Amino acid sequence: MCSQRARRAGLVGLLFMMTVCFPVTAAAQVDVSSAKNQIYAFLDGNSGDFISTADAIWSYAELGFQEFKSAEALKKLLEKHGFAVETGVAGMPTAMVATWGEGTPVIGFTGEYDALPGLSQKTVAHKDPVVSGAPGHGCGHNLLGTTGAAAAIALKHVMEANKIPGTLKFFGCPAEESGSAKIFLARDGIFNGTDVILDNHPGDNFESESGAHTSALKLLNITFTGKAAHAGSAPWDGKSAADAAAIMGVAIEHLREHLYFTHRIHYIVQQGGAWPNIVPDKVVVIAYVRDSDERLPDTYEKVLNCIKAGALASGCEYNVEVVKAYHQKHSNDALAKLIFENMKQVGLPEWTEEEQAFAKEMQKNFEKKETGLPDEFTFTPPPAVFTGGGSTDVGEISLIVPVATVNTPCRAKGIAGHSWGVVASGGMSIGHKGMIVGAKTLAATAIDILASPETLEKIKAEFDELTQKTPYIPYVPKEVGPSLDLFEQEMPKWRPLMEPFYKEQKL
Ligand SMILES: [Zn+2]
């Protein structure tokens, strides 16, 4: 029933588009309907390249800033299809920018390809790791990176065939889950000069989202330094770094009552002392401070006062290192609506009975309702009231270039992110189908932008209004660089164990 609805929506869109040819310049015309059909045909006809790339990256499952093989696979794919690829951008070996074309508009696509620790999983509907304890693609970034690349590649072929002017860029952004490369790519001006960025993320629905739903974030590394002493015979000689952390915690818990409800503060003691009979002279706390862009600076200052209070009361020293920080993601409403229209034209994947059975078995194992695979199109408007939530480093782009995201239907409804269920679905036909409809949606949206300068003007006017209110000011201090060594020790431990299960990229 739902694919019938999709076909009907597609037909209406097609009839509408067939009546109009928008001028790009005096010289170039874009037959929108024909160009979109060429996009769909190209992605279906070349799906083997994209599926084999996504599966290879799935099998490599490399952690943040260790995505050497994954970045190489995407580079090979993009180069095969005529893109010039620059790697190692902004000082990050696994970051890349792939470019094709010339002139304006400049249309960008995002790609992520990092995995998560401990989530190794086979493509089965019950929990069963490939290598126990090894990393796995628990956020579906094997599909994310390939979706963005596939959209850029399809668009390139159609622009070339139809002599449509413009520049395409694929931004390879490592370590989304940990080191947040986009902060540093943004700070180095890598996104500057791009007119619009089309983002995607694998999900349990087919969705376009507008406005600011995520929180701005600061990740802090807090060190209290005291003075060690014998806790029994001479405690008066000591200054306890653990006391400093405890007082900081009490101050933060009291602070919560007086913060606006949009805040989120969470922290762990990463290093808490060696033994109870030694007054601890060093304690390390890792803390997240999140809020709206508007309120984060104030909330951060108040948390800083709690840290200072801990140090003052205990006689310790403190040091606060901002490890990473980024803004809320402000999805452009005009662009999000355009993505939504294209989603409906593309339609949902045609799921087989086996895929539905797989999805329902997984839902049963997750104790969710057995409703099967995504079967509708969702448009999520800006929140009436922002109540706070998770964060993404795409936020950093959203104040430099107008951006919006398509969430692609890549797993059973209700299966939580960062779980083995995401890994299982992302390495098989369900994830592949979601990736292809996602790439079609993004490339078709780009065709609308290429065909209509008025559409781009509208997107940009909304963006200008946003950035007048919320200008891009990097939260991360100049001296802070990407934490390239995050998983430098961890990843080499797993590679030899995972290698026998690597899937070959066949281009
Ligand atoms: Zn993700």
Side-chain angles (χ1 to χ4, degrees), residues 112 139 141 144 176-177 201 418:
E112 298 162 10
C139 207
H141 293 182
L144 198 165
E176 191 279 331
E177 300 288 356
H201 202 293
H418 295 197

